[in-house]
């Protein structure tokens, strides 16, 4: 019995020793520095990037237009009667009538990139391009034409491109060019290139070509600039290029017929024979010329 009591006392003493020693060891192991790193949540760089969206500039922006940095967007009712500030380089025009568009472009000499965009479904929208539409845009390099209701580039477009002083890139999107070489001739002459994939040329059989549809590259290489011929292959009813009107050649001027030579004057009259010698003529007769008459003398 006493032995059991002794064993229980030993266990209690051992437990007391563990309880007194354990608090000195555990605090060294139970440290949580992770809670101290919470200030990382204070950084919010996303909020600092918001100023990338430029606020509209209105103090020098044309009426009914929206301006952002170097870009101007003019729609429908925009009326621009004074030159755009030179800091604007990109101009998008949406659904402007031709008179409005012409006035706007005449006042946009510093524009480098021009987009003509149409959402109007009227078939009469931009069916004809004035030949001088881009002539005052000295800095224009890129021209985009998108959304025309007719899905066809405007009539006279090739002449307008020719008169754009420094244009070098063209995007036509889903607008077809006419089935002739006018635009391709002008582009080659000025060094203008397509920077998109233009839609095929269509309705060509009605113009006298062998096929009804050509890709632009095929039409260019086989019709306008065939590799084995010096001149384009054009049907007889189609003019190769619509160039600026030139005066018709004048017919050669007929050289005046020289006047006929003056008539040969009659020979001078034979002077009178000073010795009064008779002049013997045929038939046994002789005559003497004196002035304008003749004396006849018979010889016996």
């Amino acid at each position: 019995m006493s032995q059991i009591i002794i064993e229980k006392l030993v266990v209690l003493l051992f437990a007391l020793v563990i309880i007194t020693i354990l608090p000195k060891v555990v605090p060294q192991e139970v440290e949580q520095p992770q809670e101290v790193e919470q200030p990382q949540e204070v950084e919010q760089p996303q909020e600092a990037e918001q100023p990338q969206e430029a606020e509209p500039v209105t103090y020098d922006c044309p009426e009914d237009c929206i301006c952002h940095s170097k870009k101007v967007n003019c729609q429908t009712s925009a009326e621009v009667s004074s030159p755009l500030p030179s800091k604007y380089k990109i101009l998008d025009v949406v659904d402007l009538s031709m008179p409005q568009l012409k006035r706007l472009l005449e006042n946009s000499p510093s524009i480098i990139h021009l987009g003509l965009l149409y959402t109007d479904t009227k078939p009469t929208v931009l069916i004809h391009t004035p030949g001088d539409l881009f002539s005052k845009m000295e800095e224009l390099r890129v021209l985009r034409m998108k959304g025309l209701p007719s899905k066809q580039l405007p009539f006279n477009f090739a002449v307008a491109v020719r008169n754009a002083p420094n244009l070098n890139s063209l995007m036509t999107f889903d607008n077809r060019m006419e089935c002739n070489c006018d635009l391709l001739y002008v582009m080659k002459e000025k060094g203008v290139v397509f920077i998109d994939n233009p839609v095929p040329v269509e309705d060509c059989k009605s113009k006298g070509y062998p096929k009804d549809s050509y890709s632009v590259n095929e039409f260019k290489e086989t019709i306008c600039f065939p590799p084995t011929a010096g001149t384009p292959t054009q049907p007889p009813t189609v003019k190769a290029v619509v160039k600026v009107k030139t005066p018709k050649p004048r017919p050669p001027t007929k050289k005046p017929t020289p006047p006929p030579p003056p008539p040969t004057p009659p020979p001078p009259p034979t002077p009178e024979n000073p010795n009064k010698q008779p002049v013997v003529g045929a038939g046994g007769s002789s005559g003497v010329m004196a002035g304008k008459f003749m004396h006849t003398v018979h010889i016996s």
Side-chain angles (χ1 to χ4, degrees):
M1 190 69 183
S2 61
Q3 186 177 358
I4 294 173
I5 294 172
I6 292 171
E7 290 178 357
K8 287 183 179 181
L9 289 175
V10 172
V11 171
L12 288 175
L13 289 173
F14 183 75
L16 288 173
V17 171
I18 293 174
I19 291 172
T20 55
I21 296 174
L22 185 62
K24 296 180 181 180
V25 178
V26 172
Q28 294 177 1
E29 296 178 357
V30 183
E31 293 182 359
Q32 298 179 355
Q34 296 177 356
E35 296 179 357
V36 181
E37 296 178 358
Q38 291 180 357
Q40 293 178 356
E41 298 178 358
V42 178
E43 297 179 2
Q44 296 179 355
Q46 296 179 356
E47 296 180 359
E49 295 177 357
Q50 291 179 358
Q52 291 179 356
E53 297 182 1
E55 294 294 329
V57 179
T58 57
Y59 62 90
D60 61 355
C61 192
E63 187 176 358
D64 295 324
C65 295
I66 300 173
C67 301
H68 292 274
S69 185
K70 296 182 179 181
K71 182 176 180 179
V72 182
N73 185 303
C74 296
Q75 302 183 14
T76 312
S77 60
E79 291 286 351
V80 178
S81 56
S82 59
L84 290 176
S86 59
K87 69 178 183 179
Y88 296 120
K89 303 299 181 183
I90 302 172
L91 174 61
D92 282 345
V93 179
V94 182
D95 293 338
L96 286 190
S97 65
M98 182 50 66
Q100 291 174 309
L101 177 62
K102 199 166 188 305
R103 283 193 297 270
L104 173 59
L105 299 188
E106 287 175 352
N107 287 290
S108 305
S110 62
I111 294 299
I112 296 175
H113 191 132
L114 173 63
L116 302 182
L117 315 175
Y118 289 88
T119 60
D120 197 335
T121 57
K122 295 177 182 177
T124 56
V125 172
L126 199 63
I127 58 176
H128 180 274
T129 308
D132 61 346
L133 184 61
F134 312 116
S135 61
K136 295 186 178 180
M137 303 185 73
E138 297 287 341
E139 301 297 325
L140 182 62
R141 299 293 189 276
V142 181
L143 174 61
R144 297 180 295 128
M145 297 278 292
K146 185 176 182 180
L148 292 176
S150 63
K151 303 299 181 184
Q152 184 91 20
L153 291 176
F155 177 72
N156 208 42
F157 183 67
V159 178
V161 170
R162 177 187 286 116
N163 293 331
N166 295 298
L167 183 68
N168 57 34
S169 301
L170 183 62
M171 298 180 68
T172 56
F173 293 93
D174 55 349
N175 300 306
R176 298 186 308 273
M177 70 177 196
E178 294 185 36
C179 189
N180 58 50
C181 296
D182 299 355
L183 180 59
L184 295 177
Y185 284 156
V186 171
M187 293 178 68
K188 183 175 181 180
E189 174 190 339
K190 292 181 62 68
V192 179
V193 297
F194 286 111
I195 55 175
D196 64 344
N197 187 20
V199 294
V201 184
E202 296 182 355
D203 194 26
C204 294
K205 276 192 174 181
S206 63
K207 305 290 181 65
Y209 293 103
K211 294 171 57 176
D212 195 55
S213 178
Y214 296 85
S215 70
V216 171
N217 284 336
E218 181 186 11
F219 192 78
K220 177 181 178 180
E221 294 172 1
T222 61
I223 302 298
C224 300
F225 304 101
T228 58
T231 56
T233 305
Q234 292 281 13
T237 57
V238 179
K239 293 183 179 180
V241 185
V242 178
K243 292 189 179 288
V244 179
K245 292 183 179 179
T246 55
K248 295 181 179 179
R250 297 181 180 179
T253 307
K254 293 183 179 180
K255 295 182 179 180
T257 306
T264 305
T270 305
E272 185 178 356
N273 192 341
N275 298 324
K276 302 295 182 179
Q277 295 291 333
V279 179
V280 180
S285 62
S286 62
V288 178
M289 296 292 296
K292 297 182 180 180
F293 59 89
M294 180 184 295
H295 296 281
T296 305
V297 179
H298 296 280
I299 302 175
S300 58

